[in-house]
Amino acid sequence: MGKRAAKRPSAAKPSKPSPRVAKEARRAKPSKKVLPRVQRALDHRAPKLEENPKALLAIHGTTANLEIKSLLADLVQLRKPLAKRLGKANSARPFEDPTSIEFLARKNDASLFAFGSHSKKRPHCLVLGRTFDFQILDMVELLVTNLKPIAEFKGTFSLHSAPALVFSGADFEHKPDLALLRNLLTDHFRAPEPIPAVPAKLPAERVLVFTARADGVVSMRHYAVAVGTVTANTIAMSAAAAAREVGADGERGVGAGARHVNLREIGPRCDLKLSRTRFADDDVRKSALKRPKSSASVPSRVKNVSHDELLGKRGRLRIERQDLHQAALKKVKALKKEKAPPKPAASAP
């Protein structure tokens, strides 16, 4: 009985990847086909020379009370249409773990955020901050007192009108914490574009006033600006002001004859006390303030062209030296040289 021939080994077939590995491979492989709406969204979030207007994201914590929620709603109303409020509570702690705030800022494409919470240690707490490259840049924690929301005031304002900002108090210039608060408030409430002229020819329809008091509390007031009606009192006040502005030479000053302006408080009204601050790192701050060379504010180097601090363009021209004696100028008869009289002819002897 003969021996059976050994079975020839066949080439090993590649094993089929598991579903989990295949799914990870599909995620890792970039897709060539992108929907147009997806591409538009990616282009909108891409870095630009002129960045998009900063949007505000309002978030309330799981322990937020009604007062903080009403304040967040008022802040969103002041920032509209560049504002969004999340209806679901979030258990975030910005100073301890800012990852959830950064995730929500990236998801909603927001550069500014306001987070409200309430606890026994930090009652009526409001955190204002901003992000750079969807990472926390800087923020401040404020304790809110004496809150009166917009709903308790009479009067309304246009959603598309931007307020004028007024910061009263020398502490905004000398104290670093209040200087950071001023910078953040300016970013949260300033207009994304120049304010259009109103019919009364005023700089703005409303004004936000922040006053730094001696006890370290910053009061926030919101007023509507309107031209007042002419009454006997306003006529008397205008006449007294005009009399004070008349100079010794009888000429009236610049402010004489100005129309009477009324300020009506429309809310919200509250007092803010600083609790904690987080300044930006020097390297991150330099990166955030860096502007591209191709931007209009950083012009390229051109020969004989310079720019001053206000980005004014100055040029230097070089011309040949002029000879005024040979230049074709207008000849004036008064300056014309008189011809010498002819010499008499010599008589013959």
Side-chain angles (χ1 to χ4, degrees):
M1 194 172 174
K3 295 182 179 180
R4 297 181 60 184
K7 190 176 181 180
R8 197 171 187 179
S10 60
K13 296 182 179 181
S15 59
K16 187 177 180 181
S18 63
R20 181 181 61 82
V21 176
K23 187 176 181 181
E24 292 180 358
R26 286 195 300 269
R27 288 183 177 180
K29 185 178 180 180
S31 178
K32 295 182 180 180
K33 295 183 179 180
V34 180
L35 295 177
R37 59 185 181 85
V38 176
Q39 187 62 40
R40 288 194 298 268
L42 294 176
D43 295 341
H44 180 74
R45 298 190 180 190
K48 306 179 185 64
L49 295 180
E50 297 295 335
E51 291 292 343
N52 302 326
K54 296 182 179 180
L56 173 65
L57 181 64
I59 312 167
H60 65 272
T62 55
T63 59
N65 53 8
L66 293 178
E67 293 185 8
I68 287 297
K69 291 181 180 180
S70 64
L71 178 59
L72 291 175
D74 292 347
L75 294 181
V76 170
Q77 190 172 356
L78 292 177
R79 185 64 181 175
K80 278 185 177 179
L82 299 174
K84 182 179 180 180
R85 183 186 176 189
L86 299 183
K88 187 177 180 180
N90 192 286
S91 60
R93 304 179 68 183
F95 280 87
E96 287 77 10
D97 185 14
T99 54
S100 59
I101 300 293
E102 294 172 353
F103 170 76
L104 293 174
R106 179 184 293 273
K107 186 176 180 180
N108 295 276
D109 193 17
S111 301
L112 307 171
F113 69 90
F115 180 80
S117 61
H118 176 75
S119 63
K120 184 177 180 181
K121 185 177 181 180
R122 295 184 175 87
H124 312 294
C125 180
L126 175 67
V127 178
L128 299 179
R130 53 191 169 186
T131 62
F132 170 69
D133 196 16
F134 301 111
Q135 303 293 326
I136 296 294
L137 181 64
D138 47 13
M139 54 185 171
V140 295
E141 187 181 61
L142 306 169
L143 302 181
V144 183
T145 56
N146 303 327
L147 174 62
K148 189 175 181 181
I150 296 179
E152 299 183 11
F153 289 89
K154 295 182 180 180
T156 59
F157 56 89
S158 176
L159 296 179
H160 297 279
S161 64
L165 303 180
V166 177
F167 293 91
S168 177
D171 292 341
F172 283 118
E173 300 289 341
H174 302 297
K175 293 185 177 180
D177 294 345
L178 290 180
L180 175 61
L181 176 61
R182 174 183 177 179
N183 201 329
L184 285 171
L185 291 174
T186 303
D187 256 2
H188 277 71
F189 297 111
R190 69 177 176 181
E193 55 187 13
I195 303 174
V198 297
K201 295 183 179 181
L202 297 172
E205 294 181 356
R206 51 196 179 95
V207 57
L208 272 169
V209 182
F210 300 94
T211 306
R213 304 200 303 238
D215 55 354
V217 177
V218 177
S219 61
M220 174 183 172
R221 302 292 183 267
H222 187 207
Y223 301 96
V225 182
V227 178
T229 56
V230 179
T231 61
N233 294 333
T234 57
I235 292 175
M237 293 171 59
S238 301
R244 289 193 300 268
E245 293 172 353
V246 173
D249 52 354
E251 296 183 1
R252 304 177 69 182
V254 177
R259 306 181 70 178
H260 183 67
V261 176
N262 288 333
L263 295 178
R264 184 181 74 258
E265 189 172 4
I266 55 178
R269 178 204 299 172
C270 62
D271 294 336
L272 308 174
K273 185 176 181 181
L274 277 172
S275 177
R276 289 185 292 178
T277 58
R278 175 180 172 179
F279 292 88
D281 297 335
D282 294 338
D283 297 338
V284 180
R285 184 175 182 81
K286 288 180 181 179
S287 301
L289 297 177
K290 187 177 180 180
R291 310 190 71 174
K293 294 183 179 180
S294 58
S295 178
S297 60
V298 187
S300 59
R301 182 75 176 178
V302 182
K303 188 177 181 180
N304 296 330
V305 176
S306 60
H307 298 78
D308 60 3
E309 295 179 355
L310 299 178
L311 303 179
K313 188 175 182 180
R314 296 181 179 181
R316 180 181 298 178
L317 300 178
R318 300 183 182 274
I319 58 177
E320 298 180 359
R321 187 174 181 179
Q322 297 180 355
D323 188 0
L324 300 180
H325 297 286
Q326 298 180 359
L329 303 176
K330 185 178 180 181
K331 298 179 180 180
V332 184
K333 292 183 179 180
L335 302 178
K336 188 177 180 181
K337 294 182 179 180
E338 296 181 357
K339 295 182 179 180
K343 297 181 180 180
S347 58

